[in-house]
Amino acid sequence: MAKGREHFGSGAAAVMAMAGSAIGLGNIWRFPYMVGQNGGAAFIIVYLLAAFFLSLPILLSESIVGRATHANTFGAMEKLAPGTRWKWLGFLTVISPLIILSYYSVVGGWSIEYLIKAAGSGFNEEVSSLFGEFIVKPWAPLICHTLFLLLTVAVVSAGVKSGIERFNRVSLPLLFILIVVIMVYSLTLPGAYAGVSYLLKPDFSKITPSVVAAAMGQSFFSLSLGVGTILTYSSYMKHSENLFSSGLGTAAFDLLFALIAGFAIMPAVFAAGIEPGAGPGLIFETLPYIFANMGAAAPWLSRTVSILFFLTIVIAALTSSISMCEVGVAYLVEERGQSRRKASLLVFAGTWLLGALCSLSFGPLSGVHLFGRTIFDFCDHLTSDYLMTFGSLLFVLFVGWKMPRMTVWNEFTNGGSLPGNRRLFGPVWFLIRYVAPLVILTIFVTNLVS
Ligand code: PHE
């Protein structure tokens, strides 16, 4: 291990950090909506298969590279394949999480605004126009974006152990408690059952190839794959830790949270008698509308639940944004010799600027288009449809075809000392080497064609 390099205190701490990266906006707004639209329980089955047979091998590939080198994404490639073009993979995975961080923190900023609103005046009748009016403003969203980024950077600059590990150790259990409380409340609303059946009624006729591709894409995004966050966090794991059980734990927590979020959100949506909408509209328009309506009957209860709900979103978004920020900071510290504090400031400056452009692309800059999309949409599309899939493809190719099989085996079985992992190595290796590249390539081409 590089001299002076920090590491997570325990395996549990590493899982909490990785699960914190995984659990985020993707679980709260995208997953519940996708399940309902794409065949309910049938979609959940496809998603489960994608998560464990495709995403988990990709996650393990990143983990293997990270833990084998104890380095940032760039340094990892330089250590394992010095002087080759693989350094571009290291470079790409420094850039892509920072692009995600830029627009992600804009949405994180909206959540802060809504949390403040929930705790302040609460949501009232004008709520239906609230979101539309808010995001086009130049200053307020920008200030919230700045605040969200500052919180992210503050945690990261405090260090791996006393910043990231400490924050996740508190946040992750808190997130689960909060979402379960909201779910219990939501399930007890009159008419909630329609939401449950929306999520669970299996409809296999909805499972088309494009739905399968969408399930896989969602799984990549949700598990933070292909952009170096898992690699970087794994590089802080000790050699004695079990990579397979950490990866499995991360995937399981991520899935569990997405399912609970579905049962927290959809029953409330149906109880209010509205059609669930997609994307930001669901959490920033539909739910405040529900809170406003409930407010008439039970003001304090509605107020409390709305505060808890937006608090959950802010924390979930923070645990993810912290992981993106750390990729850039680790690179600047280890490859460019910056102090952690200065590196954090540099990441702040760069992502603040791009994020500001993303934020303004809803208002003053809405006329600026890149390849037919606004700046925000372009950054989102570029990263989630291309860079994450491309990065994932390169990672599995690297581990499956470039790294010596013995190095991979050593990392996966801790030098042969984990009998369970020794038995699993064959199937995992097969998935990494053959299955994952072919499937990812198919998704990539599908995205390009469509
Ligand atoms: N997994 C996070 C979510 O579900 C998003 C994310 C993507 C985090 C890439 C880190 C890296 O919201």
Side-chain angles (χ1 to χ4, degrees):
M1 197 176 298
K3 215 169 119 253
R5 204 170 191 271
E6 286 191 275
H7 52 74
F8 290 128
S10 64
V15 174
M16 284 206 214
M18 290 204 285
S21 169
I23 294 169
L25 298 167
N27 303 55
I28 300 178
W29 61 257
R30 235 170 86 173
F31 183 79
Y33 166 77
M34 287 184 90
V35 172
Q37 282 276 292
N38 296 318
F43 181 86
I44 296 181
I45 295 171
V46 175
Y47 187 82
L48 263 172
L49 292 174
F52 290 102
F53 290 101
L54 180 66
S55 298
L56 185 57
I58 302 171
L59 188 149
L60 289 171
S61 305
E62 275 197 49
S63 277
I64 286 167
V65 174
R67 221 256 315 247
T69 54
H70 288 299
N72 63 89
T73 60
F74 190 84
M77 290 298 138
E78 280 297 281
K79 272 192 183 172
L80 291 172
T84 65
R85 293 211 187 114
W86 285 104
K87 72 162 175 275
W88 292 108
L89 172 59
F91 203 63
L92 174 80
T93 45
V94 173
I95 302 297
S96 23
L98 298 181
I99 302 178
I100 303 181
L101 178 59
S102 306
Y103 72 82
Y104 202 86
S105 67
V106 173
V107 184
W110 298 344
S111 320
I112 292 187
E113 158 77 16
Y114 271 60
L115 174 61
I116 295 171
K117 178 109 187 117
S121 59
F123 297 107
N124 49 36
E125 298 72 44
E126 302 108 57
V127 78
S128 52
S129 54
L130 184 71
F131 186 59
E133 283 167 13
F134 172 69
I135 56 170
V136 298
K137 285 187 191 154
W139 291 110
L142 213 52
I143 293 169
C144 295
H145 155 66
T146 310
L147 201 62
F148 183 86
L149 258 186
L150 279 176
L151 289 172
T152 303
V153 168
V155 175
V156 172
S157 72
V160 174
K161 245 180 125 75
S162 32
I164 300 175
E165 177 174 330
R166 216 157 57 158
F167 187 81
N168 280 298
R169 205 179 324 130
V170 178
S171 302
L172 204 75
L174 184 65
L175 277 176
F176 273 93
I177 294 171
L178 287 169
I179 200 79
V180 168
V181 169
I182 299 168
M183 178 184 75
V184 170
Y185 167 77
S186 186
L187 287 172
T188 52
L189 291 171
Y193 178 73
V196 175
S197 74
Y198 177 80
L199 287 174
L200 285 187
K201 216 165 67 207
D203 180 357
F204 286 95
S205 70
K206 292 249 174 83
I207 305 300
T208 59
S210 68
V211 167
V212 174
M216 291 172 181
Q218 166 64 8
S219 171
F220 285 10
F221 187 80
S222 194
L223 280 173
S224 318
L225 301 179
V227 291
T229 46
I230 297 295
L231 188 163
T232 306
Y233 273 2
S234 302
S235 78
Y236 300 127
M237 281 167 77
K238 294 180 202 154
H239 272 304
S240 51
E241 248 58 275
N242 184 336
L243 287 187
F244 181 75
S245 46
S246 314
L248 192 66
T250 304
F253 277 129
D254 184 53
L255 184 73
L256 187 66
F257 192 89
L259 287 172
I260 304 177
F263 288 107
I265 293 170
M266 286 307 164
V269 171
F270 279 85
I274 18 188
E275 271 295 296
L282 179 64
I283 45 178
F284 295 109
E285 289 176 305
T286 313
L287 289 164
Y289 172 81
I290 296 170
F291 295 134
N293 277 2
M294 287 175 351
W300 72 265
L301 191 59
S302 139
R303 173 69 66 92
T304 313
V305 177
S306 64
I307 295 172
L308 294 184
F309 184 75
F310 286 105
L311 183 65
T312 310
I313 297 183
V314 171
I315 299 174
L318 272 174
T319 56
S320 296
S321 63
I322 286 166
S323 72
M324 302 171 205
C325 181
E326 176 59 24
V327 179
V329 169
Y331 166 78
L332 289 171
V333 170
E334 290 168 8
E335 304 300 319
R336 304 267 152 216
Q338 305 290 343
S339 68
R340 186 163 259 277
R341 177 178 275 252
K342 180 116 180 273
S344 307
L345 279 176
L346 284 170
V347 168
F348 173 83
T351 48
W352 182 85
L353 199 65
L354 182 57
L357 296 175
C358 289
S359 179
L360 293 171
S361 76
F362 288 93
L365 296 183
S366 61
V368 179
H369 286 103
L370 299 166
F371 298 95
R373 293 168 194 271
T374 63
I375 304 172
F376 182 101
D377 280 348
F378 175 76
C379 290
D380 179 13
H381 180 68
L382 174 72
T383 47
S384 35
D385 289 344
Y386 296 109
L387 298 184
M388 295 189 92
T389 356
F390 190 53
S392 299
L393 175 65
L394 293 180
F395 276 125
V396 285
L397 288 177
F398 185 78
V399 173
W401 296 90
K402 171 79 187 162
M403 265 174 95
R405 190 172 189 270
M406 200 54 202
T407 315
V408 179
W409 187 84
N410 261 329
E411 239 9 88
F412 189 75
T413 64
N414 291 2
S417 66
L418 301 169
N421 291 20
R422 275 202 321 253
R423 253 173 272 128
L424 281 166
F425 183 73
V428 169
W429 176 249
F430 180 77
L431 288 172
I432 292 178
R433 199 166 146 94
Y434 301 103
V435 179
L438 286 175
V439 179
I440 304 171
L441 207 62
T442 317
I443 304 178
F444 196 66
V445 173
T446 315
N447 282 343
L448 265 183
V449 172
S450 63

